[in-house]
Amino acid sequence: MITPIVRHFTEADIPQRSALLREGRFQANLTDFAVVSSDEALVANQRRTIEGEHAVKRMYTVCHPDGRTIGFAWITSIDWRAQSCELSFGVLPRFRGGHGAAAVAAMHRYVREELNMRAVINQVLVHNTMLVSAADLAAQAQVRCAYDSFTAGEWRDSCFWSQDAAGYERSVAEHEERRRAIADRIRAATGGAS
């Protein structure tokens, strides 16, 4: 598995992130505000975050080691004293099945190791299984908020949970164990061929 690089979001990243914000699956699974925003407003919103909102919101670009952009992450609801934030992701379509999980892991490491966040708040719309399976979402959710977001023409419920460093390490170990078990089953079924 690759180890993605996390860097600060720059003005040069705006066109690619704007396109992602307008992509159909992103809108249906996260938010559709980009559809109702003009090009100028979308760019202005991202510039405003870069130029003056670092105390309350920060955006990052997650890259493959070869420099290709895998996706974007942003932290909001930042409480520097309590060392907590809400972490959101947007993975480019071509990387969702492959490097998406590595991008999420890299960003979790970044907010914990570089920004010293002790608690990360996760929010996922209940129908969004792009990065979290329905079973994992049901197991992790501490709060379910009905009618949380209006996306793709309908009200959506969200699940929230807070994850400290130990909880995150546990989830990484569980994910790795599931990945290893699947690889072992594939090797057994194919007689060890790779």
Side-chain angles (χ1 to χ4, degrees):
M1 184 179 313
I2 65 156
T3 302
I5 297 163
V6 175
R7 66 170 173 78
H8 282 274
F9 183 83
T10 68
E11 201 164 317
D13 296 315
I14 290 174
Q16 194 169 27
R17 185 170 182 266
S18 294
L20 175 63
L21 294 174
R22 289 196 164 126
E23 189 252 336
R25 285 195 67 206
F26 181 92
Q27 292 170 20
N29 286 302
L30 296 169
T31 180
D32 57 5
F33 80 91
V35 172
V36 296
S37 300
S38 68
D39 291 343
E40 296 78 18
L42 199 54
V43 169
N45 179 282
Q46 293 172 88
R47 277 196 185 128
R48 187 173 42 258
T49 299
I50 293 169
E51 294 167 0
E53 295 182 336
H54 276 232
V56 295
K57 179 180 181 181
R58 293 188 180 187
M59 295 191 301
Y60 299 91
T61 303
V62 184
C63 300
H64 190 281
D66 67 10
R68 289 178 294 158
T69 298
I70 295 172
F72 304 97
W74 51 101
I75 58 173
T76 55
S77 305
I78 301 170
D79 185 334
W80 295 106
R81 294 182 130 195
Q83 296 173 288
S84 67
C85 66
E86 184 174 329
L87 180 56
S88 301
F89 299 94
V91 177
L92 296 175
R94 69 182 173 277
F95 291 112
R96 286 185 184 140
H99 302 313
V104 170
M107 198 59 208
H108 270 278
R109 274 192 310 278
Y110 183 86
V111 297
R112 293 177 195 290
E113 295 172 9
E114 300 296 325
L115 301 180
N116 204 28
M117 294 294 168
R118 296 293 158 235
V120 175
I121 300 161
N122 299 281
Q123 175 198 19
V124 177
L125 297 178
V126 295
H127 69 285
N128 182 353
T129 57
M130 288 169 60
L131 293 172
V132 178
S133 72
D136 285 347
L137 185 58
Q140 294 178 104
Q142 296 164 338
V143 174
R144 183 173 174 137
C145 182
Y147 305 105
D148 180 67
S149 298
F150 189 79
T151 61
E154 64 182 274
W155 284 101
R156 312 285 187 147
D157 294 357
S158 287
C159 290
F160 291 85
W161 68 97
S162 177
Q163 196 172 40
D164 63 9
Y168 175 69
E169 292 304 323
R170 219 174 14 260
S171 71
V172 168
E174 290 167 0
H175 174 76
E176 183 57 27
E177 181 56 35
R178 284 192 305 269
R179 188 196 66 72
R180 225 182 344 265
I182 291 168
D184 290 346
R185 283 196 309 270
I186 291 169
R187 272 192 292 281
T190 60
S194 51

